[in-house]
Amino acid sequence: MNNVYIIGVGQVPVQENWDKSLKELGGEAALLAIQDAAIGYPDALFVGNMMAGTANKQLQLGTLLADWVGFHQKPALGIEAACGSGASAFRAAVMAVASGEMDSALVVGVEKMTDSPSAEITASLATAADADLEADLGLSFVALNALIMQRYMYEYHWQHADFAAFSINAHANAVHNPYARFQNTISREQFSKSAMISDPINLLDASPVCDGAAAIIISSTPPRNHRPPIRVVASSSATDTLSLQNRKVPLRLSAAIKSAHDGYAQAGITPADIGVFEYHDAFSIMAALSLESAGFCEPGQAPKLANEGLLRFDGQIPVATFGGLKARGHPVGATGIYQLVELTIQLSGLAGETQVLRPHYGMAQNIGGSGSNITTHILARE
Amino acid sequence: MNNVYIIGVGQVPVQENWDKSLKELGGEAALLAIQDAAIGYPDALFVGNMMAGTANKQLQLGTLLADWVGFHQKPALGIEAACGSGASAFRAAVMAVASGEMDSALVVGVEKMTDSPSAEITASLATAADADLEADLGLSFVALNALIMQRYMYEYHWQHADFAAFSINAHANAVHNPYARFQNTISREQFSKSAMISDPINLLDASPVCDGAAAIIISSTPPRNHRPPIRVVASSSATDTLSLQNRKVPLRLSAAIKSAHDGYAQAGITPADIGVFEYHDAFSIMAALSLESAGFCEPGQAPKLANEGLLRFDGQIPVATFGGLKARGHPVGATGIYQLVELTIQLSGLAGETQVLRPHYGMAQNIGGSGSNITTHILARE
């Protein structure tokens, strides 16, 4: 297998973007990455997206973006694994470059959620759940996460207020990220007074509906420009039952455990080696389960880490260093690529105010569905 | 790069299937392939599908099928390139196995179009076109193909009746295929009297709305069971502008030309070496353009081939040997996998009544959009 390096990145601000279409957002991120890598056009295009068919009435995003950004005749396709589409697209591209079939590839994650009325977006997001066993019973995606959070609080004796620290930390980091949806801090009081969405998940437990696009160029050759060599040292993916009801232990994300374990094995490291962790905090309960399944603490202990300040960018396990899904925003199919762009910036030492102290390894964990499809990537500065 | 062999295939009958859900169809094809390969569960699952989000309110098909067929924890994802989703999924899996990242993979193509009212299916199919430049103007997918056919007839002086031979040949072959949607012959008279859909495309120019699923297992190791070793000797993909209006020469499928050319180069062969060609005859005009772009005749000459009987299973260029998209049926995201299953059966000498005489190379060409995303595979019996 060939080595795979990240040689260029690009991102657009996450926001409610009423001025740009889906292809304009994706194209902008793509061209920024192409400019950054400075190798001309890469050999193929992989696009991660979840809901363009339902929310934007446009499929064929691979071809659409290839056409839009001038990828004359080169191969292109779309990858879908719900909110994990971004990392799944990245992983498919990594395997394509590793195989020698191509020398370089562009991966774009893009999502434009605001084209649809919010009831339709709720329905679109629910397509990530099991239609027969969950969505058709009226369970929205937030409701599924609320069931998990209820159970977690009961099982491990946490109060809702104990989860505030996850969101407060995410917002504190996002203040310094010009690409973040929310560039403001939040307080414990604001968290506790926030509007209830699906008990116990309130507005400040949840990532926002938003638009965004991020892009990465990978190559079998190390970067020849100003960038330090950032290598993909692990790419692993695992699945679980699509429905919560079929899981024996719904509070343990078995696919995340497997995916993280495989990732550590590929990289030959342990959780203690990870200098920065971009986790999938779509909801504060997912932040907790993400940390536990990746081996950063025992089951039921993640809120303790958050409340002790260990998750801060200058703490022991820096997470959501650019705001995470909660505050940078969660344009679903784009999120996995934003995470990898952010890790690249951290490993390059270019993260500014929230720069983690000389990280060698960075890990990103992208989750599709309620823990049903999980892709882990570990990057290393060589 | 590792070699890639086809070691198991499965398919379900293409029909309007009111008794089985999307996951039941996909699962059935998957389990047939798993049984056929007899190596237990392969290492990962790739699912090609176009419209599950819009037509079935279910995304995450990779995870859904992995869950449904018992792929405990293994990686899974979905691939989308409109009607070319099947071959794109196969190509992604081929690269994954070629890279050494995995030893084997299951690829499923599945589509259940009949869950939606037909107006919604027309809208879903139009998501393969450019929303801004085509679909939003009211152009359906059939209408786009009708524009091409109008121009082709004008440019090359063919009458509508000259296209009958493509559909007659497809139906004649489908009679012997128990998996075909239409197992009946059609006559020139029926063709000429068929209901107009979008002038000049009538009902018998067009492939049907239908449900279906097909599956293939690939491996870096040749089959250890009864199957002859069928190897993937070329996998190539190319794109064109999504919209017709942006093409300089709309009657030449430049992406198909590029994809076929790259495929021949990879395999080290020419069109004359191809013993059987599964082309993408979604409409009779696409059958014509497919043959021309793959180098089997000069531009504008394909109807001549059809009318001279050269496309019959015992002719010079056997096509649609199991009925093609026209008569086997075109469950859009599944089609690319049906084509490859059929090539495998032909190369194995198991095609029965429509067996081509000792083919060594077989080629499949799967088209997404109106010629905008084209993936070519060449298989060889070793």
Side-chain angles (χ1 to χ4, degrees), chain B residues 36 73 135 144 154 169 182 186 257 261 266 331 333 353 369 378:
Chain B
D36 189 36
Q73 292 208 315
L144 283 164
Y154 170 82
N169 178 55
F182 299 122
I186 58 169
I257 294 169
H261 178 271
Q266 281 178 31
E353 295 289 328
I378 300 175

Side-chain angles (χ1 to χ4, degrees), chain B residues 8-314:
Chain B
V9 297
Q11 58 181 327
V12 305
V14 177
Q15 51 185 292
E16 292 186 20
N17 197 321
W18 306 96
D19 297 328
K20 286 178 186 157
S21 70
L22 180 72
K23 73 182 175 193
E24 287 170 323
L25 288 172
E28 194 172 317
L31 290 171
L32 286 167
I34 289 170
Q35 193 172 24
D36 189 36
I39 59 157
Y41 280 80
D43 295 337
L45 173 58
F46 295 73
V47 178
N49 170 269
M50 175 181 174
M51 51 174 70
T54 54
N56 315 102
K57 314 297 178 206
Q58 175 73 72
L59 285 172
Q60 280 261 63
L61 287 205
T63 316
L64 180 79
L65 284 179
D67 181 8
W68 182 246
V69 303
F71 252 71
H72 184 60
Q73 292 208 315
K74 294 185 178 185
L77 51 76
I79 308 267
E80 191 272 324
C83 303
S85 298
S88 284
F90 188 78
R91 181 166 147 77
V94 164
M95 292 190 288
V97 170
S99 77
E101 167 71 20
M102 53 188 71
D103 294 328
S104 60
L106 170 63
V107 195
V108 177
V110 60
E111 201 80 55
K112 182 148 173 51
M113 302 171 80
T114 60
D115 274 1
S116 288
S118 68
E120 281 183 23
I121 281 294
T122 300
S124 285
L125 286 168
T127 62
D130 192 307
D132 297 343
L133 303 180
E134 296 177 326
D136 285 357
L137 307 180
L139 276 163
S140 72
F141 206 69
V142 188
L144 283 164
N145 281 273
L147 289 173
I148 304 176
M149 191 168 179
Q150 283 279 15
R151 186 73 201 175
Y152 187 95
M153 288 164 62
Y154 170 82
E155 201 83 51
Y156 298 120
H157 312 292
W158 293 105
Q159 302 300 309
H160 181 255
D162 297 322
F163 290 82
F166 293 110
S167 301
I168 289 169
N169 178 55
H171 275 259
N173 290 338
V175 166
H176 308 290
N177 177 9
Y179 300 97
R181 170 79 184 85
F182 299 122
Q183 297 172 35
N184 62 290
T185 58
I186 58 169
S187 66
R188 285 193 171 269
E189 194 185 356
Q190 283 171 309
F191 182 84
S192 67
K193 288 186 175 166
S194 176
M196 186 57 70
I197 302 174
S198 183
D199 193 10
I201 292 179
N202 73 22
L203 197 64
L204 291 180
D205 281 302
S207 54
V209 166
C210 49
D211 309 322
I216 296 179
I217 295 180
I218 56 173
S219 170
S220 53
T221 315
R224 282 168 301 202
N225 58 9
H226 57 285
R227 295 204 155 275
I230 308 289
R231 191 159 75 84
V232 182
V233 295
S235 175
S236 58
S237 189
T239 55
D240 199 349
T241 67
L242 200 52
S243 70
L244 282 184
Q245 68 177 49
N246 283 339
R247 295 192 195 154
K248 285 187 186 146
V249 189
L251 293 185
R252 297 288 285 152
L253 300 182
S254 75
I257 294 169
K258 166 90 170 120
S259 167
H261 178 271
D262 289 353
Y264 295 135
Q266 281 178 31
I269 60 173
T270 70
D273 296 310
I274 300 296
V276 50
F277 178 38
E278 289 301 333
Y279 66 4
H280 192 94
D281 55 333
F283 300 99
S284 54
I285 179 64
M286 275 295 133
L289 296 185
S290 175
L291 281 162
E292 295 168 11
S293 56
F296 291 104
C297 62
E298 291 301 307
Q301 296 308 304
K304 191 159 172 286
L305 263 56
N307 283 293
E308 287 175 355
L310 303 183
L311 305 182
R312 288 168 44 102
F313 74 90
D314 54 0

Side-chain angles (χ1 to χ4, degrees), chain A residues 1 58-59 74 99 131 239, chain B residues 1 58-59 74 99 127 131 239:
Chain A
M1 283 172 69
Q58 175 73 72
L59 285 171
K74 294 186 179 185
S99 77
T239 55
Chain B
M1 283 172 68
Q58 175 73 72
L59 285 172
K74 294 185 178 185
S99 77
T127 62
T239 55

Side-chain angles (χ1 to χ4, degrees), chain A residues 219-241:
Chain A
S219 169
S220 54
T221 314
R224 282 168 298 205
N225 58 8
H226 59 286
R227 294 205 154 274
I230 308 288
R231 190 160 75 83
V232 181
V233 294
S235 175
S236 57
S237 190
T239 55
D240 199 349
T241 67

Side-chain angles (χ1 to χ4, degrees), chain A residues 151-323:
Chain A
R151 185 74 200 175
Y152 186 94
M153 288 164 62
Y154 170 82
E155 200 83 53
Y156 298 121
H157 312 292
W158 293 104
Q159 302 299 310
H160 180 255
D162 297 322
F163 290 83
F166 293 110
S167 301
I168 289 169
N169 178 55
H171 276 258
N173 290 337
V175 165
H176 308 290
N177 177 9
Y179 300 98
R181 171 77 184 84
F182 299 121
Q183 297 172 35
N184 63 290
T185 58
I186 58 168
S187 67
R188 284 194 171 269
E189 195 186 352
Q190 283 171 307
F191 182 84
S192 66
K193 288 187 174 164
S194 175
M196 186 59 68
I197 301 174
S198 184
D199 193 9
I201 291 179
N202 74 23
L203 196 64
L204 291 180
D205 282 302
S207 55
V209 167
C210 48
D211 309 322
I216 296 179
I217 295 179
I218 56 174
S219 169
S220 54
T221 314
R224 282 168 298 205
N225 58 8
H226 59 286
R227 294 205 154 274
I230 308 288
R231 190 160 75 83
V232 181
V233 294
S235 175
S236 57
S237 190
T239 55
D240 199 349
T241 67
L242 200 52
S243 70
L244 282 183
Q245 68 178 47
N246 282 341
R247 295 191 196 156
K248 285 187 186 146
V249 189
L251 292 185
R252 298 288 284 152
L253 300 182
S254 74
I257 294 169
K258 166 88 170 121
S259 166
H261 178 271
D262 289 354
Y264 294 136
Q266 281 179 29
I269 61 172
T270 70
D273 296 310
I274 300 295
V276 50
F277 178 36
E278 290 301 335
Y279 66 5
H280 192 95
D281 56 332
F283 301 99
S284 54
I285 180 63
M286 275 294 134
L289 297 184
S290 174
L291 282 161
E292 296 168 11
S293 57
F296 290 105
C297 62
E298 291 300 308
Q301 296 309 303
K304 191 160 172 284
L305 262 57
N307 283 292
E308 287 175 355
L310 303 183
L311 306 182
R312 288 168 44 102
F313 75 88
D314 54 0
Q316 200 179 309
I317 308 150
V319 299
T321 58
F322 289 82

